[in-house]
Amino acid sequence: MHCRKAGSVLQLTQRRCASTATKVKPSEWLPVNPAPPPQQTLSKWVTAKTTPLYHDCNDFRGASLRAGNAPSASKWARPATPRPQPGMKKVAVNVHSRPAAPRSRPGKKKVAVDVYIPTTVSVGQLARLLNVRQTLLQRKMVDAGMAAEASYDHVLTSDYAALLAEEFGRNPIINDEAAFDIYPPAPHPDPTTLPTRPPIITIMGHVDHGKTTLLDTLRSASVADNEAGGITQHIGAFSVPVKGSSSGTITFLDTPGHAAFSAMRSRGASVTDIVVLVVAADDGVMPQTKEVIRLIKREQGKVGVVVAINKVDKPEADVEKVQHALLAEGVQLESFGGDIPSVEVSGLTGHGLADLIDTLSLMAEVQDLRAEQDGPIYGHVIESKMHKGLGPTATVLVLRGCLTPGAHILAGTSSGKVRLMSNSSGAPVKAAYPGMAVTVSGWRSLPGAGDEVVQGSEGDVKKALANRVRKKEVETVLIDAEAINIARAAERERVRRKEDKSQDMRNILDGGPKELRLVIKGDVSGSVEAVVGALEGIGNEKARAKVVSTGVGDVTEGDVMMAKAAEGIIVAFSVKIPRSVETTAAQNHVPIYSSKIIYRIMDEVRDRVTALLPCTYETKVTGEATVLQLFDIHLKGKMTKKIAGCRVSNGTIEKSKGARVVRNGQVIHEGVLDALKQHKKDLLEVKKGTECGISLQDYEELRNGDLIQMYQTIEIPGVL
């Protein structure tokens, strides 16, 4: 009997090798049959030939498929067939042995994160363990010659799972207990046999475009039809009955913001079937509208889209302008020959809501949405909060299965046992089926928005929760280590800046270029890049602008401290400067220049850099006077003073200007005037053709015929 089992294993091995012979790589394993050795190749994923194995079943006992250091270009090795060795007749093979990992190259060793892998794991579960997209893992398997095994539900052994984990830089550890987790059930092999479920509609748009009013109108109409009274709480999702629909209802989902919605989509969760993009007819396409459009384009082909042009009841509404704006953003509406329907609605008056619901119902019929209505549930947490009297509660959107009270559920690192369930109107619910959103109480801790909800036994939930908590602690430690590395890098940068500052001082002392240091803040990253590119080019070999820090957002006190340390200025482009920051900047003598026009910023920085350039000086003669005769004037205390009688020949003699004496074409003295008189009258200036008396301060060596020139020194700033 053992021989038969070994023989069947041998036959399966033959088929596997024959089917993948053209996609596998050179082997490191021990040869089984005589054949020429495989040729080496430079490709990472190479091919090798295999031949049938003909051995007695008793030969396969306790030996490894690999043997020592056989030449190979890859760790993905399969049985090869080199030349026979003398005396070799039988080979012992251990089918449970794990292929040895390749030797790492010195100098390129990288610390890998530990990942626990069970003995057997499906491709979808392995992608979750490695925290990578399933499509990326499947592409890696196809490159490795495992296209036949790349399906979502194909079960891999720990050997192949470990090798795949190493390809993603993980350190695989085979441990069933530590790797245990609860996963969503595998997709149904024939979804067409399943019952239909209500479509899940997400209404998104700009905060001022009437999204909340539209939701409230739909919700109140639904409650009025069901005669269930008023809305007692906001749970983030509600259902609207639709006549003639196969599912009977439509579930509207109010996500907790675009960030959480994007996070759910990035984890590969098909939470939303149709997105309703709400655009105000009187406002048009806004930044948050563009954000939703980008999200829709990223998920193109996975979700349906309907445009709701809201506020059409306003007199300033312009539907055609909104449609053209959407077309400019790449939204192909049906009115322009596209495939995206648009409906004109009014959340305030209820105009067009019936058409909107009919359009959504028709689109859901085309999508043919189906799901299991029994078995363990799979869903998502839409929102969670603490409820007085009930403790932690969460709104759970059921996608598959049936959720009932008493079920043990797990979401992220939160677990619980379902105690009470209620719908959007607060009425108790005994069972939640796919497409329903219910408020669930009984959680031990508050789950996070966007977490996947799975169901299992009490023991499995406890075991999976312990493993998730341990994994999260490890990730936290890694994040802390990264934070330490960032802090140390910042310290090294601070030391480098200090050295650069010392170097700058040496450059100034050595006649090097002077620098205007800038701390730039802008409204968006693109604006900051444009400002940096425009300002960095200002300067020459004597003075230049240097950007020491950039950022997006309002100016903060940290920016002021940065500018103070760098002895620079702050440039604020289209951002606000809080009053407290202005006060801090004034106290620390840090200039702040703010403008919404980039050319003004460039002119300001250019002027400041120009001010750093060394100035040149010119001397301009403003007046000349010729000495005609010298006079001695008696002062008090028997003192005399020489006064030169002069005639102004050119310009104007001003007492405030500098004076110099020119004799025989050479300047023999420079100074200032001590007195400028005319008939005992002190004057400030004397014009051309007028005679006057001039005396120079601390100089009495004047002679007849000397030329007295008045001049001023003009400072000429540098030019870039």
Side-chain angles (χ1 to χ4, degrees):
M1 183 174 180
H2 292 290
C3 294
R4 280 195 221 98
K5 288 185 177 179
S8 62
V9 171
L10 183 59
Q11 292 175 3
L12 289 173
T13 306
Q14 287 177 283
R15 295 194 191 100
R16 185 185 185 90
C17 294
S19 64
T20 58
T22 60
K23 299 179 181 179
V24 297
K25 301 176 227 183
S27 175
E28 299 176 6
W29 296 0
L30 185 64
V32 179
N33 273 343
Q39 296 181 354
Q40 294 289 342
T41 177
L42 297 177
S43 175
K44 181 179 179 183
W45 307 101
V46 293
T47 59
K49 295 184 178 180
T50 59
T51 56
L53 308 178
Y54 299 100
H55 290 281
D56 183 63
C57 61
N58 294 325
D59 293 341
F60 296 88
R61 294 178 184 173
S64 174
L65 283 170
R66 295 198 178 195
N69 300 323
S72 174
S74 171
K75 60 188 177 184
W76 298 89
R78 302 213 181 208
T81 54
R83 298 182 182 278
Q85 300 294 334
M88 182 173 65
K89 296 181 179 179
K90 296 182 179 181
V91 179
V93 180
N94 180 7
V95 297
H96 299 289
S97 64
R98 177 184 163 191
R103 295 182 179 179
S104 59
R105 296 182 180 180
K108 292 187 178 182
K109 187 174 181 181
K110 188 177 179 180
V111 178
V113 180
D114 292 342
V115 57
Y116 293 94
I117 296 177
T119 305
T120 58
V121 60
S122 68
V123 175
Q125 293 174 357
L126 181 61
R128 291 172 178 270
L129 285 175
L130 299 179
N131 196 23
V132 298
R133 287 184 177 270
Q134 181 183 324
T135 54
L136 179 60
L137 176 61
Q138 290 173 329
R139 188 160 58 246
K140 184 75 72 174
M141 294 177 68
V142 171
D143 294 340
M146 301 177 64
E149 297 90 347
S151 60
Y152 172 85
D153 55 351
H154 183 84
V155 178
L156 300 171
T157 63
S158 58
D159 295 340
Y160 287 101
L163 291 174
L164 286 168
E166 291 175 354
E167 286 294 316
F168 289 96
R170 309 294 199 276
N171 180 31
I173 300 175
I174 312 302
N175 189 324
D176 287 323
E177 289 294 326
F180 178 81
D181 203 347
I182 301 177
Y183 300 99
H188 196 277
D190 188 9
T192 57
T193 61
L194 299 175
T196 59
R197 67 166 175 84
I200 301 170
I201 315 297
T202 301
I203 298 182
M204 307 179 74
H206 196 68
V207 292
D208 295 329
H209 285 191
K211 180 171 68 77
T212 303
T213 305
L214 186 63
L215 285 170
D216 291 341
T217 304
L218 287 170
R219 186 182 297 118
S220 61
S222 170
V223 171
D225 291 341
N226 292 330
E227 298 180 355
I231 299 296
T232 58
Q233 58 182 351
H234 173 70
I235 77 164
F238 61 96
S239 298
V240 175
V242 179
K243 296 180 181 180
S245 174
S246 58
S247 60
T249 58
I250 292 179
T251 299
F252 285 92
L253 178 64
D254 186 12
T255 59
H258 295 292
F261 182 74
S262 300
M264 287 191 287
R265 296 300 303 176
S266 65
R267 285 192 292 267
S270 299
V271 176
T272 298
D273 302 313
I274 302 172
V275 172
V276 176
L277 175 58
V278 179
V279 185
D282 62 337
D283 202 7
V285 176
M286 299 296 287
Q288 198 168 348
T289 310
K290 296 179 181 179
E291 177 187 347
V292 179
I293 293 174
R294 288 194 298 267
L295 178 62
I296 293 171
K297 290 180 179 179
R298 211 163 45 235
E299 302 297 333
Q300 190 171 7
K302 298 181 182 179
V303 297
V305 182
V306 175
V307 175
I309 302 178
N310 197 16
K311 300 184 180 181
V312 295
D313 56 315
K314 285 194 171 184
E316 61 269 20
D318 191 346
V319 176
E320 187 176 354
K321 180 180 177 182
V322 173
Q323 291 176 342
H324 282 87
L326 290 172
L327 183 63
E329 294 295 332
V331 180
Q332 304 294 332
L333 299 178
E334 289 181 347
S335 56
F336 294 102
D339 56 353
I340 298 177
S342 63
V343 183
E344 299 178 13
V345 298
S346 173
L348 192 62
T349 64
H351 170 74
L353 292 186
D355 295 338
L356 177 62
I357 293 177
D358 291 341
T359 303
L360 296 174
S361 179
L362 179 60
M363 185 174 289
E365 292 287 344
V366 174
Q367 291 182 349
D368 191 22
L369 305 170
R370 299 176 181 271
E372 304 95 328
Q373 292 190 355
D374 54 3
I377 73 116
Y378 169 66
H380 275 83
V381 175
I382 302 303
E383 64 179 4
S384 59
K385 61 181 180 180
M386 294 296 296
H387 189 281
K388 188 175 182 180
L390 296 178
T393 61
T395 302
V396 176
L397 177 65
V398 180
L399 299 178
R400 299 170 61 188
C402 178
L403 181 62
T404 57
H408 294 275
I409 53 179
L410 177 66
T413 55
S414 302
S415 64
K417 181 180 179 181
V418 179
R419 292 170 51 195
L420 297 174
M421 294 191 302
S422 59
N423 59 14
S424 59
S425 60
V429 176
K430 294 184 178 179
Y433 296 101
M436 294 180 60
V438 291
T439 302
V440 178
S441 64
W443 299 92
R444 291 183 175 85
S445 60
L446 203 63
D451 286 345
E452 293 180 345
V453 181
V454 291
Q455 180 180 350
S457 64
E458 184 178 4
D460 290 346
V461 168
K462 288 182 178 180
K463 191 187 302 183
L465 179 63
N467 290 337
R468 291 188 181 189
V469 171
R470 174 189 50 77
K471 184 178 179 180
K472 186 175 182 181
E473 290 175 351
V474 172
E475 293 175 352
T476 303
V477 171
L478 294 177
I479 293 174
D480 292 343
E482 184 68 19
I484 292 173
N485 292 334
I486 292 174
R488 291 177 177 176
E491 178 65 20
R492 290 193 296 269
E493 180 69 13
R494 187 187 64 80
V495 173
R496 185 187 65 79
R497 285 176 179 168
K498 187 176 181 180
E499 294 175 353
D500 290 347
K501 187 176 178 181
S502 301
Q503 183 64 35
D504 293 341
M505 293 301 297
R506 288 194 294 270
N507 289 341
I508 294 173
L509 295 176
D510 297 339
K514 297 181 180 180
E515 292 179 343
L516 175 66
R517 299 174 185 85
L518 306 174
V519 176
I520 299 176
K521 296 300 290 288
D523 53 350
V524 294
S525 59
S527 299
V528 173
E529 292 177 2
V531 173
V532 171
L535 300 184
E536 280 187 334
I538 297 177
N540 55 20
E541 69 280 358
K542 295 182 180 180
R544 63 189 180 187
K546 181 179 181 181
V547 178
V548 297
S549 176
T550 62
V552 177
D554 295 343
V555 180
T556 64
E557 293 186 0
D559 299 325
V560 175
M561 294 297 105
M562 172 72 73
K564 180 183 178 181
E567 297 181 356
I569 68 171
I570 297 175
V571 176
F573 179 70
S574 298
V575 293
K576 297 179 180 179
I577 305 174
R579 183 69 60 84
S580 59
V581 175
E582 290 181 347
T583 304
T584 304
Q587 293 174 350
N588 291 274
H589 306 287
V590 174
I592 299 179
Y593 184 78
S594 176
S595 178
K596 294 183 179 180
I597 303 175
I598 190 172
Y599 300 107
R600 292 182 180 176
I601 293 178
M602 294 174 62
D603 293 341
E604 176 68 18
V605 172
R606 187 179 290 107
D607 293 343
R608 289 178 179 268
V609 173
T610 302
L612 298 177
L613 292 171
C615 299
T616 57
Y617 299 92
E618 290 184 355
T619 301
K620 180 180 179 181
V621 176
T622 60
E624 292 180 340
T626 304
V627 178
L628 302 178
Q629 187 177 357
L630 298 175
F631 301 95
D632 289 331
I633 297 178
H634 296 279
L635 302 177
K636 295 180 179 179
K638 299 182 180 181
M639 296 180 63
T640 60
K641 185 177 182 179
K642 284 190 176 292
I643 298 293
C646 306
R647 179 180 286 112
V648 179
S649 56
N650 289 308
T652 303
I653 302 297
E654 298 178 74
K655 189 176 181 181
S656 59
K657 301 292 178 65
R660 62 188 181 189
V661 179
V662 180
R663 183 179 299 165
N664 298 327
Q666 295 182 354
V667 178
I668 61 175
H669 174 74
E670 289 187 2
V672 295
L673 296 184
D674 183 34
L676 179 62
K677 294 189 176 186
Q678 193 176 39
H679 303 295
K680 297 183 179 181
K681 184 179 180 181
D682 291 329
L683 301 175
L684 295 178
E685 63 178 27
V686 178
K687 296 184 178 180
K688 180 180 177 180
T690 307
E691 294 183 353
C692 61
I694 297 175
S695 68
L696 297 173
Q697 186 175 353
D698 301 327
Y699 185 75
E700 295 186 357
E701 303 296 330
L702 288 173
R703 298 180 185 178
N704 294 339
D706 288 346
L707 183 65
I708 300 176
Q709 292 181 339
M710 309 304 297
Y711 68 91
Q712 65 178 0
T713 302
I714 300 175
E715 180 180 341
I716 300 177
V719 179
L720 291 175

PDB file of all heavy atoms in Angstrom, residues 222-229:
ATOM      1  N   SER A 222     -37.885  57.247   2.490  1.00  0.00           N
ATOM      2  CA  SER A 222     -37.901  55.808   2.767  1.00  0.00           C
ATOM      3  C   SER A 222     -38.631  55.520   4.070  1.00  0.00           C
ATOM      4  O   SER A 222     -39.437  54.601   4.160  1.00  0.00           O
ATOM      5  CB  SER A 222     -36.462  55.282   2.829  1.00  0.00           C
ATOM      6  OG  SER A 222     -36.434  53.970   3.319  1.00  0.00           O
ATOM      7  N   VAL A 223     -38.388  56.318   5.096  1.00  0.00           N
ATOM      8  CA  VAL A 223     -39.039  56.098   6.387  1.00  0.00           C
ATOM      9  C   VAL A 223     -40.533  56.341   6.278  1.00  0.00           C
ATOM     10  O   VAL A 223     -41.354  55.607   6.837  1.00  0.00           O
ATOM     11  CB  VAL A 223     -38.402  57.012   7.455  1.00  0.00           C
ATOM     12  CG1 VAL A 223     -39.197  56.971   8.740  1.00  0.00           C
ATOM     13  CG2 VAL A 223     -36.968  56.580   7.713  1.00  0.00           C
ATOM     14  N   ALA A 224     -40.920  57.372   5.504  1.00  0.00           N
ATOM     15  CA  ALA A 224     -42.345  57.646   5.338  1.00  0.00           C
ATOM     16  C   ALA A 224     -43.037  56.490   4.633  1.00  0.00           C
ATOM     17  O   ALA A 224     -44.164  56.120   4.978  1.00  0.00           O
ATOM     18  CB  ALA A 224     -42.532  58.938   4.548  1.00  0.00           C
ATOM     19  N   ASP A 225     -42.390  55.898   3.648  1.00  0.00           N
ATOM     20  CA  ASP A 225     -43.004  54.778   2.936  1.00  0.00           C
ATOM     21  C   ASP A 225     -43.160  53.567   3.840  1.00  0.00           C
ATOM     22  O   ASP A 225     -44.126  52.810   3.729  1.00  0.00           O
ATOM     23  CB  ASP A 225     -42.159  54.396   1.712  1.00  0.00           C
ATOM     24  CG  ASP A 225     -42.204  55.481   0.646  1.00  0.00           C
ATOM     25  OD1 ASP A 225     -43.145  56.315   0.685  1.00  0.00           O
ATOM     26  OD2 ASP A 225     -41.295  55.490  -0.215  1.00  0.00           O
ATOM     27  N   ASN A 226     -42.189  53.366   4.714  1.00  0.00           N
ATOM     28  CA  ASN A 226     -42.235  52.204   5.606  1.00  0.00           C
ATOM     29  C   ASN A 226     -43.022  52.472   6.882  1.00  0.00           C
ATOM     30  O   ASN A 226     -43.210  51.552   7.683  1.00  0.00           O
ATOM     31  CB  ASN A 226     -40.810  51.764   5.972  1.00  0.00           C
ATOM     32  CG  ASN A 226     -40.077  51.200   4.771  1.00  0.00           C
ATOM     33  OD1 ASN A 226     -40.690  50.633   3.878  1.00  0.00           O
ATOM     34  ND2 ASN A 226     -38.763  51.357   4.765  1.00  0.00           N
ATOM     35  N   GLU A 227     -43.447  53.711   7.100  1.00  0.00           N
ATOM     36  CA  GLU A 227     -44.198  54.101   8.296  1.00  0.00           C
ATOM     37  C   GLU A 227     -43.476  53.661   9.569  1.00  0.00           C
ATOM     38  O   GLU A 227     -44.051  53.092  10.469  1.00  0.00           O
ATOM     39  CB  GLU A 227     -45.610  53.497   8.263  1.00  0.00           C
ATOM     40  CG  GLU A 227     -46.451  53.985   7.077  1.00  0.00           C
ATOM     41  CD  GLU A 227     -47.839  53.370   7.079  1.00  0.00           C
ATOM     42  OE1 GLU A 227     -48.096  52.499   7.939  1.00  0.00           O
ATOM     43  OE2 GLU A 227     -48.651  53.746   6.228  1.00  0.00           O
ATOM     44  N   ALA A 228     -42.161  53.962   9.612  1.00  0.00           N
ATOM     45  CA  ALA A 228     -41.373  53.549  10.764  1.00  0.00           C
ATOM     46  C   ALA A 228     -41.043  54.710  11.685  1.00  0.00           C
ATOM     47  O   ALA A 228     -40.272  54.550  12.601  1.00  0.00           O
ATOM     48  CB  ALA A 228     -40.071  52.885  10.297  1.00  0.00           C
ATOM     49  N   GLY A 229     -41.629  55.880  11.432  1.00  0.00           N
ATOM     50  CA  GLY A 229     -41.348  57.012  12.311  1.00  0.00           C
ATOM     51  C   GLY A 229     -40.117  57.764  11.871  1.00  0.00           C
ATOM     52  O   GLY A 229     -39.623  57.631  10.749  1.00  0.00           O
TER      53      GLY A 229
END
